[in-house]
């Protein structure tokens, strides 16, 4: 009898040992897969904005923290992320390797937290291993880890997972004191996640999903216990979407030509974008090839989207209908499959363009960082429920081969984020007409003194879009360093003609005029710019130099 009891309830040390082995595999495979990210540099894509040129992170003091947490930074709901950058800057300045190493560390911690979260949800180590290893080494997650500015993703996900753990402890706690402490823990973790990245807006519905998979009976108490989170989320969403700054921003983008074109799409056109994005993320989960940091919005031809958007629309309707029928007809593990698929849909829903997304991309790898947990969970449920036999051995063997392939792909993908030239060259390899990539790679060539290559990118960009002001301003810098001052002046005049308030072009034109020893004209130019932008200190310094 003792032997039977011992078999039914294995020794805790044995359970811990099994968990430890699986977690160790996840940690080591993840560390190996992302080892190439640590040697990367800063890129010009938001790394300058969040770290290199960010004045808020340079003052690690009580006053500096007060400014960061109380002033409008213009960087969205990322104050906790900026605080982590502030600490980084204090500890190791602008050494990019250590920023990258920290991102990788946060990612590994997320994989470990995810493993134990799934163990606690479904009491199945196989499901936990499949979910956490796919989350950890999927190539679509390279963007969230190897891009320093996306510290937002790994940090908000860390506190999202902590929130879920605390919430489960809260549900299971019996004593009122313990229940109160765990309630405080999951509520506080939500706020921390929110201040890392406001994509934490997905946490409230995901908490209800946890209620569902844990078979909690729906009562009004399920809402009351989450009320502080729900009220905060609704108020913040309203502020972001309809507040004073949002209205000004929205009107500005309606009245002024902008790269953020989702403000001008109709509901049906947004449905096309949503369908394309949904199908893109589902396909890339299975087949993550030809990845690109920039997938631009579609170009309309006579007011019509490219055909693949209409095909995606039909495919999405069919897929969602079929999935709904299958999930409702399932007998075994229906609750788990519904949980996984809804976790995916809820997590990705904020990036499906029904709410306008600021940026130049219609889809982005980083938007799958949490969403793929749901799909990985579904695969884990499927594999763990295979009956013993040859099929189970074949499928598990195939899964291990897939893990190896994904790990190698991630190892290689990290190298794309090495620097601006490698990053934007990869974008242009997939789509040679991406304006932002041509402009940014041209700037990188300028910085390295490779002016002929820079000119080739700017010329190509102007050929595609003759009214893109940045190309003229940046090409002028190439000409300036090549001592072609007349050509530089002509380009800067064109940039100012396209945007009379383009202060960078005014600054650069003044430098060209000073190089041509036309100091009087330079002073008049800077004075004109100062009248337009009296708070730009650099204009005063430049005019003083011209005097």
């Amino acid at each position: 009898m003792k032997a039977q009891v011992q078999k039914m309830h294995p020794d805790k040390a044995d359970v811990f040992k099994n968990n430890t082995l699986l977690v160790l595999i996840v940690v080591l495979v993840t560390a190996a897969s992302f080892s190439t990210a640590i040697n990367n540099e800063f890129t010009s894509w938001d790394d300058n904005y969040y770290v290199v040129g960010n004045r808020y992170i340079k003052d690690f003091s009580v006053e500096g923290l007060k400014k960061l947490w109380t002033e409008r930074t213009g960087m969205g709901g990322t104050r906790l992320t900026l605080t982590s950058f502030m600490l980084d800057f204090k500890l190791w300045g602008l050494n990019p390797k250590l920023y990258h190493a920290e991102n990788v560390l946060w990612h590994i911690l997320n994989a470990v937290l995810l493993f134990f979260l799934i163990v606690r949800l479904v009491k199945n180590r196989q499901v936990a291993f499949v979910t956490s290893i796919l989350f950890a080494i999927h190539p679509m997650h390279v963007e969230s880890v190897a891009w320093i500015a996306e510290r937002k993703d790994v940090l908000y996900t860390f506190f999202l997972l902590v929130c879920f753990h605390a919430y489960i402890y809260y549900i299971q706690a019996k004593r009122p004191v313990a229940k109160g402490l765990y309630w405080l823990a999951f509520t506080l973790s939500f706020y921390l996640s929110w201040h890392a990245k406001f994509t934490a807006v997905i946490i409230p519905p995901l908490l209800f999903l946890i209620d569902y998979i844990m078979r909690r009976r729906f009562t009004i108490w399920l809402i009351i216990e989450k009320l502080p989170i729900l009220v905060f989320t609704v108020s913040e969403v309203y502020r972001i979407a309809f507040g004073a700054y949002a209205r000004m921003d929205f009107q500005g983008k309606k009245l002024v030509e902008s790269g953020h074109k989702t403000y001008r799409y109709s509901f049906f056109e947004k449905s096309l974008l949503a369908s394309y994005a949904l199908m893109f993320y589902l396909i890339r989960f299975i087949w993550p090839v030809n990845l690109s940091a920039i997938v631009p919005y579609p170009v309309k031809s006579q007011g019509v989207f490219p055909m693949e958007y209409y095909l995606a629309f039909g495919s999405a309707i069919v897929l969602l209908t079929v999935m709904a029928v299958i999930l409702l007809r399932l007998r075994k593990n229906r609750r788990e499959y519904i949980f996984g698929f809804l976790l995916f849909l809820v997590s990705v829903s904020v990036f499906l363009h029904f709410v306008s997304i600021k940026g130049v991309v219609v889809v982005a790898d980083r938007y799958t960082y949490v969403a793929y947990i749901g799909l990985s969970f579904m695969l884990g449920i499927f594999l763990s429920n295979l009956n013993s036999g040859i099929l189970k051995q074949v499928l598990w063997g195939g899964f291990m081969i897939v893990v190896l392939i994904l790990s190698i792909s991630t190892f290689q993908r990290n190298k794309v984020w090495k620097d601006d030239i490698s990053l934007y060259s990869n974008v242009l390899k997939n789509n040679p007409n991406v304006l932002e990539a041509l402009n940014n790679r041209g700037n990188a060539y300028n910085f390295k003194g490779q002016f002929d290559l820079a000119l080739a990118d700017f010329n190509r960009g102007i050929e595609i879009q003759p009214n893109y002001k940045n190309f003229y301003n940046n090409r002028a810098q190439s000409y300036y360093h090549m001592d072609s001052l007349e050509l530089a002046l002509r380009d800067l005049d064109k940039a100012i003609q396209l945007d009379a308030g383009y202060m960078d072009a005014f600054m650069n034109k003044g430098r060209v005029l000073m190089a041509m020893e036309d100091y009087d004209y330079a002073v008049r130019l800077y004075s004109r710019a100062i009248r337009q932008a009296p708070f730009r200190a650099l204009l005063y310094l430049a005019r003083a130099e011209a005097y």
Side-chain angles (χ1 to χ4, degrees):
M1 183 65 185
K2 287 183 179 179
Q4 289 179 339
V5 173
Q6 196 170 16
K7 186 176 181 181
M8 290 172 61
H9 301 284
D11 184 80
K12 289 184 178 180
D14 186 46
V15 173
F16 180 75
K17 182 179 178 182
N18 290 335
N19 281 345
T20 302
L21 177 60
L22 292 175
V23 169
L24 187 62
I25 292 171
V26 171
V27 169
L28 292 178
V29 172
T30 307
S33 300
F34 281 93
S35 60
T36 44
I38 295 174
N39 293 320
N40 292 350
E41 301 171 10
F42 291 107
T43 69
S44 63
W45 194 9
D46 283 358
D47 287 351
N48 287 335
Y49 186 56
Y50 280 95
V51 180
V52 179
N54 184 0
R55 66 183 176 88
Y56 284 101
I57 73 165
K58 306 295 173 67
D59 180 16
F60 188 76
S61 65
V62 173
E63 186 62 29
L65 283 167
K66 181 181 177 182
K67 287 182 179 179
L68 192 154
W69 281 88
T70 57
E71 291 185 2
R72 178 176 167 81
T73 65
M75 300 176 202
T78 60
R79 299 185 193 277
L80 185 65
T81 302
L82 294 178
T83 303
S84 77
F85 287 143
M86 177 185 280
L87 181 60
D88 289 345
F89 184 79
K90 176 68 175 179
L91 292 174
W92 40 71
L94 291 176
N95 183 344
K97 290 186 179 182
L98 294 171
Y99 287 81
H100 283 295
E102 186 176 337
N103 274 21
V104 173
L105 179 60
W106 283 113
H107 181 58
I108 291 173
L109 288 173
N110 288 341
V112 173
L113 280 172
L114 179 59
F115 177 90
F116 287 108
L117 177 69
I118 302 304
V119 167
R120 298 183 64 206
L121 282 175
V122 294
K123 309 295 189 295
N124 189 315
R125 296 190 202 93
Q126 291 181 348
V127 179
F129 177 74
V130 171
T131 306
S132 59
I133 195 71
L134 285 179
F135 167 83
I137 53 92
H138 203 288
M140 288 286 281
H141 293 166
V142 168
E143 187 168 291
S144 294
V145 182
W147 184 8
I148 289 175
E150 275 308 301
R151 173 77 59 80
K152 297 176 290 185
D153 266 357
V154 293
L155 201 57
Y156 110 82
T157 301
F158 174 82
F159 286 105
L160 174 145
L161 293 169
V162 170
C163 176
F164 293 166
H165 275 281
Y167 186 63
I168 294 171
Y169 277 119
Y170 161 79
I171 292 172
Q172 296 173 338
K174 302 300 182 184
R175 293 186 302 168
V177 173
K179 208 169 186 67
L181 289 174
Y182 288 129
W183 179 88
L184 187 63
F186 85 74
T187 303
L188 179 61
S189 297
F190 162 76
Y191 289 124
L192 291 172
S193 183
W194 181 279
H195 285 295
K197 187 176 183 179
F198 60 70
T199 311
V201 68
I202 65 174
I203 288 179
L206 293 184
L207 290 177
F208 283 107
L209 268 183
I210 291 176
D211 291 334
Y212 171 74
I213 197 171
M214 295 191 72
R215 300 175 183 274
R216 296 185 77 194
R217 188 168 62 88
F218 182 80
T219 64
I220 191 65
W221 180 251
L222 295 190
I223 297 175
I224 293 173
E225 67 189 9
K226 305 178 187 70
L227 204 56
I229 290 177
L230 292 171
V231 171
F232 178 84
T233 302
V234 170
S235 64
E236 285 296 289
V237 168
Y238 179 84
R239 181 185 64 81
I240 292 168
F242 305 107
Y245 289 109
R247 286 195 295 272
M248 179 179 67
D249 192 49
F250 180 82
Q251 292 170 0
K253 287 178 173 54
K254 293 289 281 187
L255 299 173
V256 181
E257 183 66 23
S258 166
H260 307 317
K261 295 182 179 179
T262 55
Y263 287 95
R264 287 191 288 278
Y265 287 134
S266 67
F267 180 79
F268 176 67
E269 289 172 332
K270 288 188 175 186
S271 299
L272 295 177
L273 295 175
S275 302
Y276 179 86
L278 181 65
M279 297 307 297
F280 177 91
Y281 297 135
L282 287 169
I283 292 170
R284 286 297 188 276
F285 177 74
I286 301 167
W287 194 247
V289 297
N290 299 325
L291 304 185
S292 177
I294 302 178
V295 180
Y297 283 98
V299 177
K300 294 182 185 179
S301 177
Q302 298 180 338
V304 177
F305 276 19
M307 181 55 66
E308 58 261 32
Y309 283 80
Y310 297 94
L311 292 174
F313 182 71
S315 300
I317 292 175
V318 171
L319 175 72
L320 292 175
T321 303
V322 170
M323 282 299 299
V325 171
I326 291 174
L327 291 174
L328 291 175
R329 287 178 174 271
L330 275 176
R331 292 182 178 272
K332 187 176 182 181
N333 299 117
R334 178 171 63 182
R335 187 175 295 267
E336 287 76 14
Y337 283 117
I338 289 175
F339 170 82
F341 194 63
L342 287 181
L343 194 158
F344 167 73
L345 288 180
V346 169
S347 301
V348 83
S349 64
V350 292
F351 304 115
L352 294 184
H353 303 284
F354 290 112
V355 176
S356 298
I357 303 172
K358 292 183 178 182
V360 297
V361 297
V362 65
V363 289
D365 297 358
R366 61 189 178 275
Y367 297 160
T368 67
Y369 192 67
V370 171
Y372 277 0
I373 293 174
L375 299 181
S376 301
F377 178 80
M378 293 174 72
L379 180 60
I381 292 292
F382 173 76
L383 290 174
S384 70
N385 281 281
L386 290 171
N387 294 322
S388 59
I390 187 67
L391 179 61
K392 182 174 183 177
Q393 294 175 5
V394 169
L395 289 180
W396 271 102
F399 174 73
M400 293 305 176
I401 293 172
V402 168
V403 167
L404 178 62
I405 293 171
L406 292 178
S407 180
I408 294 171
S409 178
T410 292
F411 184 87
Q412 295 297 329
R413 179 70 186 167
N414 289 316
K415 299 175 184 178
V416 168
W417 287 84
K418 171 68 177 174
D419 56 28
D420 277 358
I421 293 176
S422 61
L423 175 61
Y424 297 117
S425 292
N426 177 261
V427 172
L428 294 166
K429 177 183 176 182
N430 287 284
N431 185 343
N433 296 330
V434 178
L435 301 180
E436 292 77 14
L438 287 167
N439 183 66
N440 293 346
R441 188 175 71 172
N443 284 336
Y445 283 137
N446 265 347
F447 182 77
K448 289 181 175 291
Q450 298 174 293
F451 303 116
D452 289 338
L453 292 174
L455 283 176
D457 278 350
F458 297 138
N459 290 339
R460 171 65 180 156
I462 290 171
E463 180 183 335
I464 299 169
Q465 176 52 272
N467 293 325
Y468 195 86
K469 65 182 181 181
N470 292 357
F471 285 132
Y472 295 99
N473 178 64
N474 296 329
R475 187 171 70 173
Q477 295 184 57
S478 302
Y479 285 140
Y480 175 82
H481 290 290
M482 298 171 74
D483 293 325
S484 298
L485 299 181
E486 291 293 341
L487 292 175
L489 198 62
R490 185 183 66 185
D491 271 0
L492 291 166
D493 284 337
K494 178 66 175 177
I496 293 171
Q497 178 188 339
L498 291 170
D499 182 358
Y502 192 8
M503 291 300 113
D504 287 344
F506 276 103
M507 288 287 295
N508 290 329
K509 183 176 178 180
R511 292 192 187 98
V512 172
L513 291 170
M514 290 170 66
M516 299 172 74
E517 299 185 352
D518 193 345
Y519 299 107
D520 290 340
Y521 188 4
V523 169
R524 292 198 304 275
L525 181 77
Y526 286 134
S527 297
R528 172 187 166 190
I530 287 169
R531 286 194 294 272
Q532 291 182 247
F535 301 108
R536 292 285 292 267
L538 289 177
L539 291 171
Y540 292 94
L541 293 173
R543 186 172 67 176
E545 186 180 354
Y547 282 134

